[in-house]
Amino acid sequence: MNGRDPGCTMRTVKEMTGIGINHFMMVDFNAVKTLSAAVGGVEVCLTKPIRDMNYSKLDLSAGEHRIQGEQALAFLRNRHGLGNQSDLDRIKMQQQFLASMMRQLKEDTLDSPTQLLSVANAATEALTVDKGIGSALKLTSLAKEIGKVDLKNISFMTVPVIDNPDEPPARRATVVLDPVKAPQVFGMIQNDVSFTEVKKKQQDAKNAQAQAQAKLLQGPGPRPPTCASTSTTAAASRGRPGDPALAPERAGRAPLDQQEQRPREGGEDHAHLRTEPGRSGPQARGPDGPARHGSPAGHAGRRGARAHDARPRRRLQGRGVPVTGPAKAPDVEKVEADKQVCAK
């Protein structure tokens, strides 16, 4: 097919999202029939009946059904009788099918070694996978690892899209990536940020904000005692409370928090940094003299102290790729594996 193989798809996904793909599974029509039968059928739900005899051949009444084989394939191929009958509606049905299969595997299959091996053998015959996971043993191991994940933390999501702006408004038939939401989704995946965990953090932040507001309404508490000046505190922490260079109040100057700030020449209030011989680190100089905050003597280099950032650094992934995931989960449609959703 002119190079249109799984490798081409993996490269395309990486180019569009910046996310590297380690393994792949390719499911064709026969795989759907084989796997749905291997697990004993998959439960699906419809809010209204669907009878599509011209295309998918799906004929199901409203309510819950357990489907497999040809009927399961018709369910996944159908897009008529749903929403605006688009491919996006078909994707929703497929996500509901996969979420239901995930629930069934976790609740019925993964606890039975015999049934799990049977499903793994069926998968190796029905699926096209890369060599890294291309055996029943490796697929069984992968299934066990997935089984350790709580269903509440498994969701199926469609990449956020918008109508193609290059097409006439009355004849738009394609979509493009949402320029705002899609990068947020990719950033969360790149940084291993769970969509369900982000929701939990958002709720925790709301609770913390509510507690802070409630505390403010209670009024201020007793005022804490006044602390010594920064210089005195620094001197005491070093065990040299008598050092006049670190305690300006002992040398006839007021503590830092009591010194009057007067404008320098030019009418601007500011402080400049300097390094004195024998001492490292910057020292703020105010209008009444230096306030020494440097590190103890003996640590100064010829070029003075240099600030050091001890925070771990993350390797940049590329131009335009966020270093960290978004603090807020984007509002995108998804199907959560722990909930049964009926197709509309």
Side-chain angles (χ1 to χ4, degrees), residues 117-163:
L117 183 59
S118 175
V119 172
N121 285 326
T124 56
E125 297 177 1
L127 298 174
T128 301
V129 301
D130 65 274
K131 294 181 179 180
I133 52 176
S135 70
L137 181 61
K138 291 180 179 180
L139 288 176
T140 301
S141 177
L142 176 61
K144 289 180 179 179
E145 288 298 318
I146 296 176
K148 298 176 183 178
V149 182
D150 194 315
L151 287 174
K152 294 180 179 180
N153 294 327
I154 299 177
S155 58
F156 299 87
M157 183 182 305
T158 305
V159 176
V161 295
I162 60 173
D163 290 334

Coordinates of all heavy atoms in Angstrom, one line a residue, residues 117-163:
L117 N -4.9 -17.1 29.1 CA -4.0 -17.7 28.1 C -4.8 -17.9 26.8 O -4.2 -17.7 25.7 CB -3.4 -19.0 28.6 CG -2.4 -19.7 27.7 CD1 -1.2 -18.7 27.4 CD2 -1.9 -21.0 28.3
S118 N -6.0 -18.3 26.9 CA -6.9 -18.5 25.7 C -7.1 -17.2 25.0 O -7.0 -17.2 23.7 CB -8.2 -19.1 26.1 OG -9.1 -19.3 25.0
V119 N -7.3 -16.2 25.7 CA -7.5 -14.9 25.0 C -6.2 -14.4 24.4 O -6.2 -13.8 23.3 CB -8.1 -13.8 26.0 CG1 -8.1 -12.4 25.4 CG2 -9.5 -14.2 26.5
A120 N -5.1 -14.6 25.1 CA -3.8 -14.2 24.6 C -3.4 -15.0 23.3 O -2.9 -14.4 22.4 CB -2.7 -14.4 25.7
N121 N -3.7 -16.3 23.3 CA -3.5 -17.0 22.1 C -4.3 -16.5 20.9 O -3.9 -16.4 19.8 CB -3.8 -18.5 22.3 CG -2.7 -19.2 23.1 OD1 -1.5 -18.8 23.0 ND2 -3.1 -20.1 24.0
A122 N -5.6 -16.2 21.2 CA -6.5 -15.6 20.2 C -6.0 -14.3 19.7 O -6.0 -14.0 18.5 CB -7.9 -15.5 20.7
A123 N -5.4 -13.5 20.6 CA -4.9 -12.2 20.2 C -3.7 -12.3 19.3 O -3.5 -11.5 18.4 CB -4.5 -11.4 21.5
T124 N -2.8 -13.3 19.6 CA -1.6 -13.4 18.8 C -2.0 -13.8 17.3 O -1.3 -13.5 16.4 CB -0.6 -14.5 19.4 OG1 -1.3 -15.7 19.5 CG2 -0.1 -14.0 20.7
E125 N -3.1 -14.5 17.2 CA -3.5 -14.9 15.9 C -4.3 -13.9 15.2 O -4.3 -13.8 13.9 CB -4.4 -16.2 16.0 CG -3.6 -17.4 16.5 CD -4.6 -18.6 16.7 OE1 -5.8 -18.5 16.4 OE2 -4.1 -19.7 17.2
A126 N -5.0 -13.0 15.9 CA -5.9 -12.0 15.3 C -5.2 -10.7 15.2 O -5.6 -9.9 14.2 CB -7.2 -11.9 16.2
L127 N -4.3 -10.3 16.1 CA -3.7 -9.0 16.0 C -2.4 -9.0 15.3 O -1.7 -10.0 15.2 CB -3.4 -8.5 17.5 CG -4.6 -8.3 18.4 CD1 -4.2 -8.0 19.8 CD2 -5.6 -7.3 17.9
T128 N -2.1 -7.8 14.7 CA -0.7 -7.6 14.2 C 0.0 -6.7 15.1 O -0.4 -5.5 15.4 CB -0.8 -6.9 12.8 OG1 -1.6 -7.7 11.9 CG2 0.5 -6.7 12.2
V129 N 1.1 -7.2 15.7 CA 1.8 -6.5 16.8 C 3.3 -6.5 16.4 O 3.8 -7.2 15.5 CB 1.6 -7.1 18.1 CG1 0.2 -7.2 18.5 CG2 2.2 -8.6 18.2
D130 N 4.1 -5.6 17.1 CA 5.5 -5.6 16.8 C 6.2 -6.7 17.5 O 5.6 -7.4 18.4 CB 6.1 -4.2 17.2 CG 6.0 -4.0 18.7 OD1 4.9 -3.5 19.2 OD2 6.9 -4.3 19.5
K131 N 7.4 -6.9 17.2 CA 8.2 -8.1 17.8 C 8.3 -8.0 19.3 O 8.5 -9.0 19.9 CB 9.5 -8.2 17.1 CG 9.5 -8.5 15.6 CD 10.9 -8.6 15.0 CE 10.8 -9.0 13.5 NZ 12.1 -9.1 12.9
G132 N 8.3 -6.8 19.8 CA 8.5 -6.6 21.2 C 7.5 -7.3 22.1 O 7.7 -7.6 23.2
I133 N 6.2 -7.4 21.6 CA 5.1 -8.0 22.3 C 4.5 -9.1 21.5 O 3.3 -9.4 21.7 CB 4.1 -6.9 22.7 CG1 3.6 -6.1 21.5 CG2 4.7 -6.0 23.8 CD1 2.5 -5.1 21.8
G134 N 5.2 -9.7 20.6 CA 4.6 -10.6 19.6 C 4.6 -12.1 20.0 O 4.9 -13.0 19.3
S135 N 4.2 -12.3 21.3 CA 4.0 -13.7 21.8 C 2.9 -13.8 22.8 O 2.6 -12.8 23.4 CB 5.3 -14.3 22.4 OG 5.6 -13.6 23.6
A136 N 2.3 -15.0 23.0 CA 1.3 -15.1 24.0 C 1.8 -14.8 25.4 O 1.0 -14.2 26.2 CB 0.7 -16.5 23.9
L137 N 3.0 -15.2 25.7 CA 3.5 -15.0 27.0 C 3.7 -13.5 27.3 O 3.3 -13.0 28.3 CB 4.9 -15.7 27.1 CG 5.6 -15.5 28.5 CD1 4.7 -16.1 29.6 CD2 7.0 -16.2 28.5
K138 N 4.2 -12.7 26.3 CA 4.4 -11.3 26.5 C 3.1 -10.6 26.5 O 2.9 -9.6 27.3 CB 5.3 -10.7 25.3 CG 6.7 -11.2 25.4 CD 7.5 -10.7 24.3 CE 9.0 -11.1 24.4 NZ 9.8 -10.6 23.3
L139 N 2.1 -11.0 25.7 CA 0.8 -10.4 25.8 C 0.1 -10.7 27.1 O -0.6 -9.8 27.6 CB -0.1 -10.8 24.6 CG 0.3 -10.3 23.2 CD1 -0.6 -10.9 22.1 CD2 0.2 -8.8 23.2
T140 N 0.3 -11.9 27.6 CA -0.3 -12.2 28.9 C 0.3 -11.4 30.0 O -0.4 -10.9 30.9 CB 0.0 -13.7 29.2 OG1 -0.6 -14.5 28.2 CG2 -0.6 -14.1 30.6
S141 N 1.7 -11.2 30.0 CA 2.3 -10.3 30.9 C 1.8 -8.9 30.8 O 1.6 -8.2 31.9 CB 3.8 -10.3 30.7 OG 4.5 -9.5 31.6
L142 N 1.6 -8.4 29.6 CA 1.1 -7.0 29.4 C -0.3 -6.9 30.0 O -0.6 -5.9 30.6 CB 1.1 -6.7 27.9 CG 0.5 -5.3 27.5 CD1 1.3 -4.2 28.2 CD2 0.5 -5.2 26.0
A143 N -1.1 -7.9 29.8 CA -2.5 -7.9 30.3 C -2.5 -7.9 31.8 O -3.3 -7.2 32.4 CB -3.3 -9.1 29.8
K144 N -1.6 -8.6 32.4 CA -1.5 -8.6 33.9 C -1.1 -7.2 34.4 O -1.6 -6.8 35.5 CB -0.6 -9.7 34.4 CG -1.1 -11.1 34.2 CD 0.0 -12.1 34.7 CE -0.5 -13.5 34.5 NZ 0.5 -14.5 35.0
E145 N -0.2 -6.6 33.7 CA 0.2 -5.2 34.2 C -1.0 -4.3 34.0 O -1.2 -3.4 34.9 CB 1.4 -4.8 33.3 CG 2.7 -5.5 33.6 CD 3.1 -5.2 35.1 OE1 3.0 -4.1 35.6 OE2 3.6 -6.2 35.7
I146 N -1.7 -4.4 32.9 CA -2.9 -3.5 32.8 C -3.9 -3.8 33.8 O -4.6 -2.9 34.3 CB -3.5 -3.7 31.3 CG1 -2.5 -3.2 30.3 CG2 -4.8 -2.9 31.2 CD1 -2.9 -3.4 28.9
G147 N -4.0 -5.1 34.2 CA -5.0 -5.5 35.2 C -4.7 -4.8 36.6 O -5.6 -4.7 37.4
K148 N -3.5 -4.4 36.8 CA -3.2 -3.7 38.1 C -3.7 -2.3 38.1 O -3.7 -1.7 39.2 CB -1.7 -3.7 38.3 CG -1.1 -5.1 38.4 CD 0.4 -5.1 38.5 CE 1.1 -6.5 38.6 NZ 2.6 -6.4 38.7
V149 N -4.0 -1.7 37.0 CA -4.5 -0.4 36.9 C -6.0 -0.3 37.3 O -6.8 -1.0 36.7 CB -4.3 0.2 35.5 CG1 -4.7 1.7 35.5 CG2 -2.8 0.1 35.2
D150 N -6.3 0.6 38.2 CA -7.7 0.8 38.6 C -8.5 1.3 37.4 O -8.1 2.1 36.6 CB -7.8 1.8 39.7 CG -9.2 1.8 40.4 OD1 -10.2 1.7 39.7 OD2 -9.2 1.8 41.6
L151 N -9.7 0.7 37.2 CA -10.6 1.1 36.0 C -10.8 2.6 36.1 O -11.1 3.2 35.0 CB -11.9 0.3 36.0 CG -11.8 -1.1 35.6 CD1 -13.1 -1.8 35.8 CD2 -11.3 -1.3 34.2
K152 N -10.8 3.2 37.3 CA -11.1 4.7 37.3 C -10.0 5.5 36.7 O -10.2 6.6 36.4 CB -11.3 5.1 38.8 CG -12.5 4.5 39.5 CD -12.5 4.9 40.9 CE -13.8 4.3 41.6 NZ -13.9 4.8 43.1
N153 N -8.8 4.8 36.5 CA -7.7 5.6 35.9 C -7.5 5.2 34.4 O -6.4 5.5 33.9 CB -6.4 5.3 36.7 CG -6.5 5.8 38.1 OD1 -7.1 6.9 38.3 ND2 -5.9 5.2 39.0
I154 N -8.5 4.5 33.8 CA -8.4 4.2 32.4 C -9.5 4.9 31.6 O -10.7 4.8 32.0 CB -8.6 2.7 32.2 CG1 -7.4 1.9 32.9 CG2 -8.5 2.3 30.7 CD1 -7.6 0.4 32.8
S155 N -9.1 5.6 30.6 CA -10.1 6.4 29.8 C -9.7 6.3 28.4 O -8.5 6.2 28.0 CB -10.3 7.8 30.3 OG -9.1 8.5 30.3
F156 N -10.7 6.5 27.5 CA -10.4 6.5 26.1 C -10.8 7.9 25.6 O -12.0 8.3 25.8 CB -11.3 5.4 25.4 CG -10.9 4.0 25.8 CD1 -11.5 3.4 26.9 CD2 -9.9 3.2 25.2 CE1 -11.2 2.2 27.4 CE2 -9.6 2.0 25.6 CZ -10.2 1.4 26.7
M157 N -9.9 8.5 24.9 CA -10.1 9.9 24.5 C -9.9 10.1 23.0 O -9.0 9.5 22.4 CB -9.1 10.8 25.3 CG -9.3 12.2 25.1 SD -8.0 13.2 26.0 CE -8.4 12.5 27.7
T158 N -10.7 11.0 22.5 CA -10.5 11.4 21.1 C -9.7 12.7 21.0 O -9.9 13.6 21.9 CB -11.8 11.7 20.4 OG1 -12.6 10.5 20.5 CG2 -11.6 12.0 18.9
V159 N -8.7 12.8 20.1 CA -7.9 14.0 20.0 C -8.8 15.2 19.7 O -9.7 15.1 18.9 CB -6.9 13.9 18.9 CG1 -6.1 15.2 18.7 CG2 -5.9 12.7 19.2
P160 N -8.7 16.3 20.5 CA -9.6 17.5 20.3 C -9.4 18.0 18.9 O -8.3 18.3 18.4 CB -9.1 18.5 21.3 CG -8.4 17.7 22.4 CD -7.8 16.5 21.6
V161 N -10.5 18.3 18.2 CA -10.5 18.8 16.8 C -11.5 19.9 16.7 O -12.4 20.1 17.5 CB -10.8 17.7 15.8 CG1 -9.7 16.6 15.8 CG2 -12.1 17.1 16.0
I162 N -11.3 20.7 15.6 CA -12.2 21.7 15.2 C -12.5 21.6 13.7 O -11.8 20.9 13.0 CB -11.7 23.2 15.5 CG1 -10.4 23.4 14.7 CG2 -11.5 23.4 17.0 CD1 -9.9 24.8 14.8
D163 N -13.6 22.2 13.2 CA -13.9 22.2 11.8 C -12.8 22.8 11.0 O -12.1 23.8 11.5 CB -15.2 22.9 11.5 CG -16.4 22.2 12.1 OD1 -16.3 21.0 12.2 OD2 -17.4 22.9 12.4

